[in-house]
Amino acid sequence: MDSIPVNLQELKPEDFKAFLDSFDHVFSDCDGVIWTKGPMPGAGKFFSLMKKLGKTVNFVSNNSLRSKENYEAHFRDAEIENGFDYLTIPSIAIAEYLKSVNFDKKVYSISCIETNNVLKSFGIEYKEGPNVGADYYEEYLKYMIDDPEIGAVVMDCDFKVNLPKMNKAITYLGRPEVHFLCGATDRHVYYARGAKTLAPGVFTDLVAEEANRSPVVLGKPGKAFGEFAMKRAGVTDPSRVLFIGDMIEQDVGLGKAVGFKTLLVLTNISKETMLAHKTIRPDFYDASLGSIVPLLEKQFVKSVI
Ligand SMILES: [Mg+2]
């Protein structure tokens, strides 16, 4: 277990200065940190002050469901300039990974239309479906026929995931040369208080177990995803990165896997929940980005004087 997380509000001025001096780059999650339904108060100001203090700012989200236009609108509403240009999401990581291994076959995609569009925009062909299966097990044989055109199975958020698709994925993964990539590994998504639904991680785990294969995880908290985000940002030393998020498993977990410093904002979970986690603790915490703004402003004024 890591040591007790430090509340930024309780740091003495010189210790807050030492905290700021301990990193050069800020990587931040988006949903629940910068915006929920609308922008979170003070989030845009937080990043502009960080930039004024000489930090580079990048964004890392597990959410491949938003289109580029939707992300751009959210960044704009939060008063963050060109945010999308500095954003890493699983769909882009998956497409760039395939490009990096000179992938020249077709992807079997169990994901959303936005991820498929990103693959297409990188010139990667994909197959998908069927969205409706047969009525009886004996008819499922047709979903267990290999397709030599497929060279990779990609699993991310698919609201129409089903038995035929998982059978197909397992069949293709029977060939060891077929790449197995996944995005978000979340097992549940909470869409209202007390209401949760199964999320992509459940289905990816099932396929992985049945195929006896481990996917390359190109979503938080996969180490490869964090390293990919570093590469895109031109960062070489993970210890000089402060990773900000609102989820312990995904955000703090990613930070721990890669070696980032971690800051948890308690916008979605309580301090008690944070401290109750059995294995993962952030280095720092605060209520929200907005609550850190006055501390940064003070620091900035001081450094000018
Ligand atoms: Mg989040």
Side-chain angles (χ1 to χ4, degrees):
M1 174 58 77
D2 304 308
S3 54
I4 303 289
V6 172
N7 182 351
L8 290 183
Q9 298 295 328
E10 290 173 2
L11 285 178
K12 292 186 196 132
E14 61 268 31
D15 292 333
F16 188 75
K17 173 81 169 65
F19 157 73
L20 284 176
D21 289 343
S22 72
F23 61 90
D24 305 309
H25 314 282
V26 175
F27 284 16
S28 178
D29 173 42
C30 299
D31 293 285
V33 176
I34 307 174
W35 55 67
T36 48
K37 285 203 169 67
M40 312 273 274
K45 183 85 180 158
F46 173 89
F47 293 112
S48 72
L49 285 168
M50 278 294 180
K51 285 179 195 166
K52 273 190 190 167
L53 287 164
K55 315 297 180 191
T56 73
V57 172
N58 288 272
F59 305 99
V60 183
S61 171
N62 257 5
N63 191 344
S64 296
L65 289 166
R66 294 185 194 285
S67 64
K68 180 173 187 267
E69 293 69 28
N70 185 286
Y71 265 115
E72 283 173 338
H74 273 75
F75 279 118
R76 206 166 39 240
D77 290 349
E79 297 180 1
I80 296 168
E81 255 180 64
N82 305 321
F84 186 80
D85 297 341
Y86 295 89
L87 171 70
T88 295
I89 48 175
S91 55
I92 294 174
I94 287 165
E96 290 200 6
Y97 179 96
L98 289 171
K99 284 285 166 192
S100 76
V101 296
N102 299 318
F103 184 73
D104 59 0
K105 295 189 117 184
K106 287 183 182 163
V107 164
Y108 180 63
S109 174
I110 303 182
S111 50
C112 56
I113 187 165
E114 290 81 6
T115 293
N116 291 340
N117 284 340
V118 169
L119 291 175
K120 215 190 301 174
S121 75
F122 276 74
I124 298 166
E125 289 185 76
Y126 65 89
K127 291 184 177 180
E128 60 179 338
N131 285 332
V132 179
D135 289 330
Y136 300 102
Y137 276 131
E138 53 265 35
E139 296 173 45
Y140 274 73
L141 283 173
K142 65 183 172 201
Y143 306 128
M144 294 158 84
I145 299 167
D146 198 6
D147 177 350
E149 283 195 326
I150 300 297
V153 169
V154 166
M155 293 190 74
D156 201 353
C157 207
D158 181 356
F159 296 103
K160 293 173 181 156
V161 62
N162 59 23
L163 202 53
K165 292 181 185 182
M166 287 195 282
N167 271 315
K168 279 177 162 238
I170 293 161
T171 300
Y172 304 144
L173 290 170
R175 278 180 285 128
E177 70 273 19
V178 171
H179 297 277
F180 184 18
L181 310 176
C182 75
T185 56
D186 308 51
R187 292 182 61 85
H188 299 101
V189 167
Y190 294 82
Y191 47 91
R193 188 176 286 276
K196 65 177 182 180
T197 182
L198 298 180
V202 170
F203 307 104
T204 307
D205 286 352
L206 203 153
V207 168
E209 191 187 339
E210 287 298 315
N212 200 21
R213 297 276 306 266
S214 295
V216 175
V217 181
L218 292 166
K220 295 180 286 185
K223 193 179 177 195
F225 186 57
E227 288 173 345
F228 175 76
M230 275 178 57
K231 200 171 140 204
R232 288 189 92 214
V235 173
T236 50
D237 181 359
S239 73
R240 298 298 298 175
V241 172
L242 177 72
F243 196 94
I244 306 170
D246 65 321
M247 305 282 275
I248 292 189
E249 303 279 348
Q250 283 80 21
D251 298 316
V252 182
L254 177 88
K256 298 289 163 190
V258 186
F260 300 146
K261 293 181 173 67
T262 53
L263 165 62
L264 187 77
V265 288
L266 302 178
T267 48
N268 265 315
I269 60 164
S270 65
K271 183 181 168 185
E272 290 68 36
T273 308
M274 171 182 76
L275 294 175
H277 197 283
K278 287 191 176 72
T279 53
I280 307 173
R281 275 183 179 166
D283 301 306
F284 306 95
Y285 73 97
D286 209 322
S288 66
L289 294 186
S291 63
I292 305 169
V293 164
L295 302 177
L296 292 178
E297 280 174 332
K298 246 188 258 174
Q299 195 65 39
F300 187 71
V301 171
K302 254 197 230 163
S303 69
V304 168
I305 294 166

